[in-house]
Amino acid sequence: VDPVMAAGIAELAGVDSVGVTSREGETRHARLILETTSTRFNWHVPISEKAIESVMSHPPDMVTFIDPHREGDCLDLRGANDLKQVFSQVRPVKSMAVSVRIASDVKQLKRAYKLGADYVEINSMPFVKANTHEKRLEELEKISGVARIAHKYEIGVIVSGGLNYQNFRDIAALEPVETIVVGRAILGKALFIGLENALRDFIFLVK
């Protein structure tokens, strides 16, 4: 699916935001989405000079820093000296919120707070992959705990990773969670009913 076309259809369907991941910091899709849609745009990029230059040249509504070389694209914020420099570079763009993708780990959240992150994007794959009810509840509580503390720190919370029509409800029920991201599940249903209809169906379920 072409990301630019998908973003346009998503806007017509009434989604709250759209996102794209540029693992090498490439700008083509992000630039076109910015030019053709007015929906809130979250651009996921790695920590690299090329990516930072791209973001500064075409500022999105939100930039989310990821580590495509680690599990779940989650950053490890221990030390994070490179991120301190990155934050100082992007902070002058007042209209752009800054987010970091992290595991459901309170220590990582606290480091995100110290860095000055506006949002955290919590990886929900461990919750999705849990193979017992007890493990599922354990992973859900981890996400909930991080979300509650983030809310106290006035940090916005996004949750993404493997969510679908069956498992999103537990996450959506967590009050501090502002946004849930569902991608592949919607694309799968779109094969049968079209992308706009699949998106509208999901929006109806969420609301």
Side-chain angles (χ1 to χ4, degrees), residues 41-92:
F41 177 48
N42 184 358
W43 191 1
H44 294 70
V45 299
I47 301 169
S48 68
E49 288 186 16
K50 180 180 179 181
I52 303 306
E53 288 175 4
S54 299
V55 166
M56 296 301 287
S57 299
H58 308 283
D61 299 291
M62 180 184 297
V63 58
T64 298
F65 291 110
I66 64 172
D67 186 344
H69 304 296
R70 298 187 75 249
E71 184 176 357
D73 289 350
C74 296
L75 291 166
D76 182 356
L77 301 182
R78 289 175 296 185
N81 291 325
D82 51 349
L83 258 180
K84 290 178 182 177
Q85 184 177 352
V86 168
F87 268 63
S88 67
Q89 287 179 268
V90 300
R91 271 304 174 200

Side-chain angles (χ1 to χ4, degrees), residues 1 5-18 165 180-191 193-207:
V1 178
M5 183 179 294
I9 295 171
E11 183 173 50
L12 289 173
V15 302
D16 295 325
S17 64
V18 296
Y165 289 83
I180 57 173
V181 180
V182 179
R184 291 182 182 177
I186 288 177
L187 291 177
K189 190 169 185 178
L191 293 173
I193 64 173
L195 182 56
E196 185 173 352
N197 287 331
L199 286 163
R200 290 186 186 278
D201 280 357
F202 190 78
I203 292 169
F204 176 79
L205 290 174
V206 171
K207 295 183 176 180

Side-chain angles (χ1 to χ4, degrees), residues 14-39:
V15 302
D16 295 325
S17 64
V18 296
V20 69
T21 298
S22 301
R23 294 185 179 279
E24 302 299 329
E26 63 275 9
T27 64
R28 178 178 173 273
H29 289 143
R31 176 174 53 79
L32 289 173
I33 290 171
L34 284 166
E35 290 175 356
T36 57
T37 67
S38 58
T39 303

Side-chain angles (χ1 to χ4, degrees), residues 28-200:
R28 178 178 173 273
H29 289 143
R31 176 174 53 79
L32 289 173
I33 290 171
L34 284 166
E35 290 175 356
T36 57
T37 67
S38 58
T39 303
R40 183 174 174 81
F41 177 48
N42 184 358
W43 191 1
H44 294 70
V45 299
I47 301 169
S48 68
E49 288 186 16
K50 180 180 179 181
I52 303 306
E53 288 175 4
S54 299
V55 166
M56 296 301 287
S57 299
H58 308 283
D61 299 291
M62 180 184 297
V63 58
T64 298
F65 291 110
I66 64 172
D67 186 344
H69 304 296
R70 298 187 75 249
E71 184 176 357
D73 289 350
C74 296
L75 291 166
D76 182 356
L77 301 182
R78 289 175 296 185
N81 291 325
D82 51 349
L83 258 180
K84 290 178 182 177
Q85 184 177 352
V86 168
F87 268 63
S88 67
Q89 287 179 268
V90 300
R91 271 304 174 200
V93 185
K94 299 297 184 184
S95 61
M96 182 172 65
V98 181
S99 175
V100 290
R101 183 164 171 80
I102 62 171
S104 51
D105 182 337
V106 172
K107 291 181 180 178
Q108 295 290 327
L109 169 67
K110 290 181 176 179
R111 292 185 176 106
Y113 172 70
K114 289 180 180 178
L115 284 167
D118 301 302
Y119 284 80
V120 290
E121 181 172 304
I122 303 171
N123 177 27
S124 53
M125 283 304 296
F127 163 76
V128 170
K129 291 181 176 180
N131 54 14
T132 66
H133 179 66
E134 291 74 17
K135 183 63 176 176
R136 187 183 178 89
L137 289 177
E138 179 184 331
E139 294 297 337
L140 182 64
E141 181 54 35
K142 286 182 182 178
I143 294 173
S144 177
V146 172
R148 289 195 304 269
I149 297 172
H151 182 68
K152 290 180 181 178
Y153 287 164
E154 298 185 345
I155 295 175
V157 178
I158 301 168
V159 179
S160 73
L163 296 176
N164 58 39
Y165 289 83
Q166 285 72 45
N167 62 24
F168 82 92
R169 297 179 189 278
D170 289 334
I171 302 296
L174 302 177
E175 190 171 334
V177 175
E178 295 182 19
T179 303
I180 57 173
V181 180
V182 179
R184 291 182 182 177
I186 288 177
L187 291 177
K189 190 169 185 178
L191 293 173
F192 301 97
I193 64 173
L195 182 56
E196 185 173 352
N197 287 331
L199 286 163
R200 290 186 186 278

